Amino acid sequence: MRIVIAEDAVLIRDGLARLLAGRGHEVVAGVGDADALRAAVAEHRPDAAVVDVRMPPTHTDEGLRAAMALRRDHPGTGVLLFSQYIETRYATELLAGGAGGVGYLLKERVADIDEFVDALRRVAAGGTALDPEVVAHLLGPGHRGLDALTPREREVLALMSEGRTNAAIAAALVVSDRAVEKHVANIFTKLDLPPSGGDHRRVLAVLRYLGKNG
C-alpha cells in the first residue's frame, strides 16, 4: 500500500511510518496539519490516508473535516481516522457518505500492530474498520428507530457496523449462522432498510440511516 500519514505528534507519525515500512508498505508522505494532508493526497494519490481527528491550528476537528474533503475529492483513497477522541457528529456524516473505504480506530485501544495494518488494508480496499467503542457512540441513545430492536439485535447491529461478516458475528455471539441471518433480516425490516449483498455496504446503509435520523 501507498500511505499518507497526517498526525501532528512527530513521535507517533514517525513511529507509524517505521512500523508500516517494516511491513512492506510505502509511506509517501507524513504531515502535521490538515492543509498539508490535502496537498499530499492530491500529489501522491495514495491507497490510504491515516488521519488524526484533532490537528493544528485549533486541535478540534480539522482532521475529520479534511477526511470528509478527501472522501469527496479523492474517493479512491481510503481514509482511516486514528485518534484518541470520538467526534460523533462529523464521523456519522463521513461514514454515511455512501461509499466504502472508511474507518475509525482509537489509539489507546489498538493493541496489535498487525490488526491495525489489517484494518488499514481493508479500508484501502474499500471496506470498513470501526472500533467497537466508536460504534457504541454512533448507535447510542438518541437515535430514533433503534428502540424497536431487541438487545440481541442491537448486539448484532453493533458487530455488523464494525465490518464483521455473519460468520464472524455468529462466532462472537456463540450462535448459529442461521440465527444471525434471522437477526440481520429483522434489523433491516425494523429500520426500513433493504438488505445488501456486501458486508461494508450494509454497514454504510445502517450508518446512513442513523446519520439522517439521529
Side-chain angles (χ1 to χ4, degrees):
M1 288 184 292
R2 300 176 69 253
I3 303 159
V4 166
I5 299 173
E7 166 65 64
D8 64 301
V10 177
L11 290 179
I12 295 178
R13 186 172 71 230
D14 289 353
L16 277 175
R18 290 175 182 273
L19 288 169
L20 290 168
R23 283 162 173 74
H25 303 294
E26 181 184 4
V27 177
V28 296
V31 301
D33 62 70
D35 289 340
L37 166 62
R38 287 188 286 266
V41 171
E43 177 182 355
H44 297 286
R45 300 301 176 96
D47 300 304
V50 180
V51 183
D52 191 12
V53 168
R54 298 184 178 183
M55 291 193 293
T58 68
H59 294 278
T60 54
D61 59 6
E62 287 88 351
L64 188 45
R65 287 187 285 112
M68 294 174 65
L70 293 183
R71 294 301 296 149
R72 180 189 66 239
D73 299 334
H74 305 283
T77 295
V79 175
L80 177 62
L81 295 171
F82 190 47
S83 177
Q84 60 187 7
Y85 304 103
I86 302 175
E87 299 288 347
T88 56
R89 176 187 171 190
Y90 289 116
T92 301
E93 292 181 27
L94 175 68
L95 295 166
V102 293
Y104 200 144
L105 300 180
L106 299 178
K107 291 176 180 176
E108 69 273 16
R109 288 169 55 85
V110 174
D112 188 310
I113 186 61
D114 289 327
E115 290 182 4
F116 173 81
V117 174
D118 180 67
L120 184 58
R121 187 181 295 112
R122 192 160 67 246
V123 167
T128 57
L130 300 177
D131 186 281
E133 190 70 20
V134 174
V135 174
H137 277 73
L138 292 174
L139 304 184
H143 287 296
R144 290 174 291 174
L146 296 179
D147 291 342
L149 303 183
T150 67
R152 176 62 86 183
E153 288 165 355
R154 287 178 67 94
E155 287 182 292
V156 171
L157 178 57
L159 292 170
M160 244 169 56
S161 298
E162 292 172 31
R164 301 202 195 190
T165 63
N166 282 1
I169 294 171
L173 299 179
V174 195
V175 298
S176 68
D177 289 358
R178 184 163 184 173
V180 172
E181 291 172 4
K182 182 177 180 180
H183 288 313
V184 170
N186 288 341
I187 289 166
F188 282 118
T189 298
K190 291 179 179 180
L191 296 183
D192 194 26
L193 291 169
S196 174
D199 189 61
H200 77 272
R201 286 182 293 179
R202 65 182 185 172
V203 170
L204 292 168
V206 171
L207 293 175
R208 184 162 59 247
Y209 173 87
L210 296 175
K212 288 181 178 179
N213 295 279

mmCIF file of all heavy atoms in Angstrom, residues 31 38 41 54 62 75 95 100 102 105 144 158 171 176 189 198 203:
data_model
loop_
_atom_site.group_PDB
_atom_site.id
_atom_site.type_symbol
_atom_site.label_atom_id
_atom_site.label_comp_id
_atom_site.label_asym_id
_atom_site.label_seq_id
_atom_site.Cartn_x
_atom_site.Cartn_y
_atom_site.Cartn_z
ATOM 1 N N VAL A 31 2.610 14.209 7.359
ATOM 2 C CA VAL A 31 2.324 15.637 7.519
ATOM 3 C C VAL A 31 1.711 15.902 8.892
ATOM 4 O O VAL A 31 1.269 14.980 9.573
ATOM 5 C CB VAL A 31 1.385 16.146 6.406
ATOM 6 C CG1 VAL A 31 1.999 15.925 5.029
ATOM 7 C CG2 VAL A 31 0.026 15.434 6.490
ATOM 8 N N ARG A 38 -4.287 17.457 2.681
ATOM 9 C CA ARG A 38 -4.995 17.577 1.397
ATOM 10 C C ARG A 38 -4.010 17.709 0.242
ATOM 11 O O ARG A 38 -4.195 17.101 -0.820
ATOM 12 C CB ARG A 38 -5.953 18.771 1.451
ATOM 13 C CG ARG A 38 -7.192 18.519 2.308
ATOM 14 C CD ARG A 38 -8.205 19.637 2.171
ATOM 15 N NE ARG A 38 -7.776 20.832 2.886
ATOM 16 C CZ ARG A 38 -8.134 21.124 4.124
ATOM 17 N NH1 ARG A 38 -8.937 20.302 4.787
ATOM 18 N NH2 ARG A 38 -7.721 22.230 4.708
ATOM 19 N N VAL A 41 -2.250 14.225 -0.435
ATOM 20 C CA VAL A 41 -3.114 13.261 -1.125
ATOM 21 C C VAL A 41 -3.298 13.656 -2.580
ATOM 22 O O VAL A 41 -3.276 12.804 -3.479
ATOM 23 C CB VAL A 41 -4.473 13.139 -0.406
ATOM 24 C CG1 VAL A 41 -5.450 12.312 -1.237
ATOM 25 C CG2 VAL A 41 -4.289 12.505 0.964
ATOM 26 N N ARG A 54 -7.864 15.541 15.594
ATOM 27 C CA ARG A 54 -7.581 16.887 16.094
ATOM 28 C C ARG A 54 -6.162 17.290 15.718
ATOM 29 O O ARG A 54 -5.195 16.683 16.180
ATOM 30 C CB ARG A 54 -7.770 16.945 17.604
ATOM 31 C CG ARG A 54 -9.203 16.636 18.024
ATOM 32 C CD ARG A 54 -9.394 16.797 19.519
ATOM 33 N NE ARG A 54 -10.778 16.535 19.900
ATOM 34 C CZ ARG A 54 -11.249 16.650 21.139
ATOM 35 N NH1 ARG A 54 -10.445 17.028 22.124
ATOM 36 N NH2 ARG A 54 -12.527 16.394 21.398
ATOM 37 N N GLU A 62 -10.140 19.500 12.780
ATOM 38 C CA GLU A 62 -9.540 19.766 11.463
ATOM 39 C C GLU A 62 -9.315 18.489 10.658
ATOM 40 O O GLU A 62 -9.583 18.438 9.454
ATOM 41 C CB GLU A 62 -8.205 20.511 11.608
ATOM 42 C CG GLU A 62 -8.340 21.970 12.007
ATOM 43 C CD GLU A 62 -8.392 22.138 13.514
ATOM 44 O OE1 GLU A 62 -8.491 21.125 14.240
ATOM 45 O OE2 GLU A 62 -8.327 23.289 13.965
ATOM 46 N N PRO A 75 -12.137 9.889 -3.942
ATOM 47 C CA PRO A 75 -12.864 8.707 -3.463
ATOM 48 C C PRO A 75 -12.063 7.412 -3.570
ATOM 49 O O PRO A 75 -12.417 6.423 -2.928
ATOM 50 C CB PRO A 75 -14.115 8.682 -4.349
ATOM 51 C CG PRO A 75 -13.752 9.476 -5.562
ATOM 52 C CD PRO A 75 -12.813 10.533 -5.089
ATOM 53 N N LEU A 95 -18.999 8.492 7.644
ATOM 54 C CA LEU A 95 -19.290 7.078 7.465
ATOM 55 C C LEU A 95 -20.574 6.837 6.687
ATOM 56 O O LEU A 95 -20.784 5.763 6.139
ATOM 57 C CB LEU A 95 -19.379 6.389 8.824
ATOM 58 C CG LEU A 95 -18.057 6.378 9.613
ATOM 59 C CD1 LEU A 95 -18.314 5.989 11.057
ATOM 60 C CD2 LEU A 95 -17.058 5.444 8.977
ATOM 61 N N GLY A 100 -17.564 2.815 0.451
ATOM 62 C CA GLY A 100 -16.685 2.188 1.414
ATOM 63 C C GLY A 100 -15.372 2.943 1.515
ATOM 64 O O GLY A 100 -15.234 4.076 1.066
ATOM 65 N N VAL A 102 -13.631 3.613 4.478
ATOM 66 C CA VAL A 102 -13.541 4.495 5.637
ATOM 67 C C VAL A 102 -13.411 3.665 6.912
ATOM 68 O O VAL A 102 -13.883 2.534 6.994
ATOM 69 C CB VAL A 102 -14.768 5.431 5.762
ATOM 70 C CG1 VAL A 102 -14.802 6.429 4.629
ATOM 71 C CG2 VAL A 102 -16.058 4.628 5.810
ATOM 72 N N LEU A 105 -10.506 4.201 14.196
ATOM 73 C CA LEU A 105 -9.919 3.436 15.281
ATOM 74 C C LEU A 105 -9.428 4.369 16.374
ATOM 75 O O LEU A 105 -9.038 5.509 16.103
ATOM 76 C CB LEU A 105 -8.743 2.588 14.780
ATOM 77 C CG LEU A 105 -9.041 1.547 13.694
ATOM 78 C CD1 LEU A 105 -7.763 0.801 13.330
ATOM 79 C CD2 LEU A 105 -10.117 0.566 14.133
ATOM 80 N N ARG A 144 -33.304 7.658 16.783
ATOM 81 C CA ARG A 144 -34.651 7.130 16.584
ATOM 82 C C ARG A 144 -34.621 5.880 15.723
ATOM 83 O O ARG A 144 -33.802 5.728 14.854
ATOM 84 C CB ARG A 144 -35.529 8.196 15.931
ATOM 85 C CG ARG A 144 -35.852 9.366 16.834
ATOM 86 C CD ARG A 144 -36.604 10.445 16.087
ATOM 87 N NE ARG A 144 -35.744 11.082 15.126
ATOM 88 C CZ ARG A 144 -36.167 11.992 14.251
ATOM 89 N NH1 ARG A 144 -37.429 12.321 14.193
ATOM 90 N NH2 ARG A 144 -35.325 12.552 13.415
ATOM 91 N N ALA A 158 -24.326 -3.718 16.183
ATOM 92 C CA ALA A 158 -23.030 -3.144 16.545
ATOM 93 C C ALA A 158 -21.893 -3.923 15.887
ATOM 94 O O ALA A 158 -20.962 -3.337 15.337
ATOM 95 C CB ALA A 158 -22.873 -3.136 18.065
ATOM 96 N N ALA A 171 -19.699 -16.371 15.464
ATOM 97 C CA ALA A 171 -18.615 -16.844 16.336
ATOM 98 C C ALA A 171 -18.501 -15.980 17.589
ATOM 99 O O ALA A 171 -18.301 -16.494 18.693
ATOM 100 C CB ALA A 171 -17.297 -16.847 15.560
ATOM 101 N N SER A 176 -25.655 -19.769 15.922
ATOM 102 C CA SER A 176 -25.533 -20.323 14.578
ATOM 103 C C SER A 176 -25.567 -19.220 13.523
ATOM 104 O O SER A 176 -26.068 -18.121 13.767
ATOM 105 C CB SER A 176 -26.674 -21.315 14.312
ATOM 106 O OG SER A 176 -27.916 -20.622 14.240
ATOM 107 N N THR A 189 -35.617 -4.969 8.504
ATOM 108 C CA THR A 189 -37.059 -4.760 8.458
ATOM 109 C C THR A 189 -37.481 -3.658 9.427
ATOM 110 O O THR A 189 -38.235 -2.750 9.066
ATOM 111 C CB THR A 189 -37.795 -6.068 8.804
ATOM 112 O OG1 THR A 189 -37.481 -7.064 7.827
ATOM 113 C CG2 THR A 189 -39.302 -5.842 8.826
ATOM 114 N N GLY A 198 -23.270 -6.843 0.067
ATOM 115 C CA GLY A 198 -21.914 -6.701 0.567
ATOM 116 C C GLY A 198 -21.893 -6.253 2.007
ATOM 117 O O GLY A 198 -22.690 -5.435 2.438
ATOM 118 N N VAL A 203 -23.248 -2.058 6.307
ATOM 119 C CA VAL A 203 -22.801 -1.178 7.374
ATOM 120 C C VAL A 203 -23.109 0.262 7.022
ATOM 121 O O VAL A 203 -23.659 1.029 7.823
ATOM 122 C CB VAL A 203 -21.289 -1.352 7.619
ATOM 123 C CG1 VAL A 203 -20.766 -0.270 8.559
ATOM 124 C CG2 VAL A 203 -21.006 -2.719 8.202
#
